Structures are given as C-alpha cells and as structure tokens.
C-alpha cells in the first residue's frame, strides 16, 4: 500500500469509528416516552385519528413539548414508543417515561401493565436505566395495574385525590421544596394539584411532600438504575409555560432540574 492509500484508509477508519462513537452517544442520550399504556386518541382537523395527551409533539396545554425542549437542550433525543416495552425496543434508551396509563373510560381498548412488562422494565432499570413514572388522581389514570410496576421499587399509588384546587386559588396546590432536595436544585416553589399520594417503603424514599404531609414524589435506587415516581403528570405545558401560574411558581425550573438530575445519573453510571 502506497503512502496516499494509507492516508485515505486511515481517514476512512477514523471517520467510521467516530461515526459509531457519535451514534452510541446519541443512543445513550435517548429519552423514550410511552404511548402504549397512555394512548388516548382524538380526531385532528383533517379527521385523522391521532394519539394525544402528554406527548412530545403536543403544543397545547396537555402536551409535553416544553419539557421535551428541556431534554433536547441538554443533549437528549426525544422518542416515543408506541409498542409494548421489550428488552429490544428499550435497548439504547437511557430514560423511559410512562405517564397516566389509560382507563377503560379513556380508551375503548386500553393496554394495562402486565407481569411481563414489569419484568422487562425492572430488568432494564436494574442494568442502569432511568425510569420516570407519573400517575394521576383516582379516576384519571389506571393505577391498579400501574401499582404492580411501582411496587417493585417500593412505591404504591394510594388511589386518592390530594391537593384539590378551587378555580385560580393556586396557593391550594403550592408545594415548597426543602433545601437540599436531591433532585430539585433551583426550583423552590411548585404547583402540583389533584395528585394521587404515594405509600413508600424501602428501597424508595420520599423527596417531596405537600403541606399536609402527603408524599408527592419518590425516588428509588434499583440495581444500577434509578426511578422517580410522581403522583401526577404535572410537567405538562399548561403549568410550565408561564401563562397560567403566577411567576413565583417554578414548575419549568423543576422540569429542568429533573432533566439535569437524569443527566448526572447517566454520567455517574459511566464512571
């Protein structure tokens, strides 16, 4: 091989290796949002049936577009899983989020969490995955099957409704973040309304309570991974866009804090 060909070969090898490294980096920063257990549908303006409610691409009040922006700003690729979770389709994702599983009133054919899903998801977490589980108050999410998953990590939804708010009396849903919170480093005052409170046992621990002592958010370490469980899908656009809530509420900051915490967990696992 002459010198010219050797140089060209070296460049091609370097490019291929660098490309593979970039792809691995992208895969390791994928945040996957479930749209199998939460798959409410409605017709769009063209009459097409579309999945909606807590979606990355949804810019209306009930969407996650703003929270998705925070993930992307931190280097994540947002993705959606429309199928049941399996070891294969979770592979390559560092974060998996399940929000507000459908009830029979919300879907004509809801998909409930089953034992096989629990096994797949828990094994994925044990290997280092970051799992975010968001419920809702009783009647607005399917919590009975959801609890078969959360109990693996030491948490159960109490199937109640706490933090009720009348009209625009936002102070009824105000929750102060205590100093030294392991996740919320900059957010000081949050608004979370009408959530299911949590029952928490080891290995989980409470990281946020409301003014009445109800557990709202729990953190659980499981194998090499971590799980955050919240009693409500509270980071949707309506309460992070700064239009409805008074300025003193830090819901968007809390969403950003959560993204940064997730990033730190991923970085720590690589060391």
């Amino acid at each position: 091989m002459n010198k010219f060909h050797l140089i060209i070969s070296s460049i091609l090898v370097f490019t291929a290796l660098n490309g593979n490294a970039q792809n691995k980096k992208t895969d390791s920063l994928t945040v996957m949002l479930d749209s199998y257990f939460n798959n409410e549908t409605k017709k769009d303006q063209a009459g097409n049936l579309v999945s909606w409610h807590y979606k990355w691409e949804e810019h209306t009040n009930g969407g996650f577009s703003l929270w998705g922006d925070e993930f992307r700003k931190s280097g994540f690729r947002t993705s959606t899983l429309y199928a049941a979770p399996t070891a294969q389709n979770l592979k390559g994702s560092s974060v998996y989020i399940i929000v507000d599983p459908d009830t029979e009133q919300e879907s004509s054919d809801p998909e409930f969490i089953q034992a096989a899903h629990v096994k797949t998801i828990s094994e994925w977490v044990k290997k280092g995955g970051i799992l975010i589980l968001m419920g809702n108050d009783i009647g607005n999410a399917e919590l009975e099957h959801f609890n078969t998953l959360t109990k693996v990590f030491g948490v159960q939804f109490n199937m109640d409704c706490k933090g009720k708010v009348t009209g625009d009396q936002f102070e009824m849903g105000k929750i102060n973040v205590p100093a030294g919170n392991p996740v919320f480093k900059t957010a000081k005052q949050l608004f979370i309304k009408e959530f299911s409170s949590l029952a928490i046992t080891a290995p989980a621990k409470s990281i946020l309570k409301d003014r009445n002592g109800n557990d709202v958010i729990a953190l659980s370490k499981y194998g090499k991974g971590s799980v955050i469980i919240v009693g409500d899908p509270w980071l949707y656009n309506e309460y992070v866009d700064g239009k409805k809530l008074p300025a003193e509420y830090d819901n968007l900051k809390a969403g950003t804090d959560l993204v940064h915490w997730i990033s730190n967990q991923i970085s720590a696992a690589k060391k």
Side-chain angles (χ1 to χ4, degrees), residues 64-71 73 184 186-191 234-243 245-260:
F64 273 157
S65 62
L66 294 176
W67 192 30
D69 286 343
E70 296 306 306
F71 273 106
K73 287 176 187 176
F184 305 112
T186 67
K188 304 301 180 186
Q189 185 169 282
L190 310 184
F191 178 81
W234 62 294
L235 291 175
Y236 50 96
N237 294 340
E238 184 175 7
Y239 294 111
V240 300
D241 65 6
K243 296 177 181 178
L245 289 179
E248 61 264 26
Y249 290 95
D250 296 327
N251 282 23
L252 182 57
K253 283 185 179 180
T256 304
D257 284 345
L258 181 52
V259 171
H260 291 167

Side-chain angles (χ1 to χ4, degrees), residues 1-14:
M1 182 181 291
N2 61 38
K3 185 175 181 181
F4 173 77
H5 288 142
L6 181 61
I7 292 172
I8 295 299
S9 297
S10 298
I11 291 173
L12 291 174
V13 170
F14 174 80

Side-chain angles (χ1 to χ4, degrees), residues 136-137 140 161-165 192-196 231-232:
N136 213 326
D137 59 313
N140 285 312
C161 182
K162 302 295 184 181
K164 292 184 179 181
V165 173
I192 304 178
K193 71 167 188 173
E194 296 172 7
F195 60 89
S196 172
D232 191 74

Side-chain angles (χ1 to χ4, degrees), residues 53-114:
H53 218 187
Y54 313 123
K55 308 301 179 186
W56 295 135
E57 66 277 8
E58 190 177 354
H59 294 273
T60 53
N61 280 347
F64 273 157
S65 62
L66 294 176
W67 192 30
D69 286 343
E70 296 306 306
F71 273 106
R72 289 183 284 271
K73 287 176 187 176
S74 291
F76 286 87
R77 181 176 72 90
T78 53
S79 182
T80 301
L81 182 60
Y82 295 96
T86 64
Q88 183 59 37
N89 59 30
L90 289 181
K91 185 178 180 181
S93 294
S94 289
V95 188
Y96 181 42
I97 303 174
I98 303 176
V99 184
D100 189 46
D102 292 339
T103 66
E104 292 179 331
Q105 288 70 42
E106 294 170 325
S107 173
S108 59
D109 188 23
E111 300 288 353
F112 297 146
I113 292 174
Q114 304 294 336

Side-chain angles (χ1 to χ4, degrees), residues 16-48:
L17 290 175
N18 190 54
N20 289 337
Q22 290 299 319
N23 288 337
K24 288 179 180 179
K25 181 179 179 182
T26 299
D27 287 344
S28 69
L29 290 175
T30 296
V31 51
M32 186 85 76
L33 178 63
D34 161 73
S35 191
Y36 180 76
F37 303 112
N38 169 41
N39 192 39
E40 294 180 64
T41 58
K42 67 176 182 179
K43 289 185 177 181
D44 62 14
Q45 292 181 342
N48 300 312

Side-chain angles (χ1 to χ4, degrees), residues 161-178:
C161 182
K162 302 295 184 181
K164 292 184 179 181
V165 173
T166 303
D168 290 339
Q169 298 181 47
F170 299 114
E171 67 280 0
M172 295 175 69
K174 179 173 68 175
I175 299 178
N176 292 316
V177 180

